[in-house]
Amino acid sequence: MEILHTILTDVTDVAIILLEFIGVGVIIWAGLRGIFEYVRGNPFTRLNLAKGMAMGLEFKLGSEILRTVIVRELSEIALVAAIIALRAALTFLIHWEIKTEEDQHNSRPSEGKDA
């Protein structure tokens, strides 16, 4: 039984690190892309940046959920729960920002087109 626990812990640790790495990579990529789009004057820069940040946070949230599998003490569970709540709140705010930006872009009249 101890062997199964060790295997579960090792697999979970690797998955956590992998998801954290992917989340950080997505956030860095979104930030670099956001800088490039801002310099080029893309009107969708904020929207694209928010979508990239939301995707990165989803990976990070997945790693925190996996972290609950291997915690042993109640204090660790409370800490992980607080981190999950914070990341979920950030994700909610970013999705709200995305919806607001999309609504603003959809409500603008098309430029240069005759109706």
Side-chain angles (χ1 to χ4, degrees), residues 13-75:
D13 284 338
V14 169
I16 289 169
I17 291 170
L18 183 63
L19 287 173
E20 290 276 342
F21 186 81
I22 292 169
V24 169
V26 168
I27 291 170
I28 290 171
W29 175 255
L32 293 173
R33 184 175 166 208
I35 292 168
F36 180 72
E37 289 180 355
Y38 176 75
V39 169
R40 292 188 67 204
N42 185 345
F44 295 100
T45 300
R46 287 185 58 174
L47 181 60
N48 293 335
L49 183 59
K51 285 181 178 181
M53 296 296 164
M55 181 59 67
L57 276 175
E58 294 292 337
F59 281 105
K60 305 275 291 161
L61 187 59
S63 72
E64 293 301 330
I65 291 169
L66 276 179
R67 198 175 311 274
T68 63
V69 172
I70 59 173
V71 293
R72 291 284 189 180
E73 297 177 12
L74 190 57
S75 62

Side-chain angles (χ1 to χ4, degrees), residues 57 85-95:
L57 276 175
L86 179 62
R87 290 196 175 154
L90 286 171
T91 301
F92 173 77
L93 289 172
I94 289 172
H95 282 288

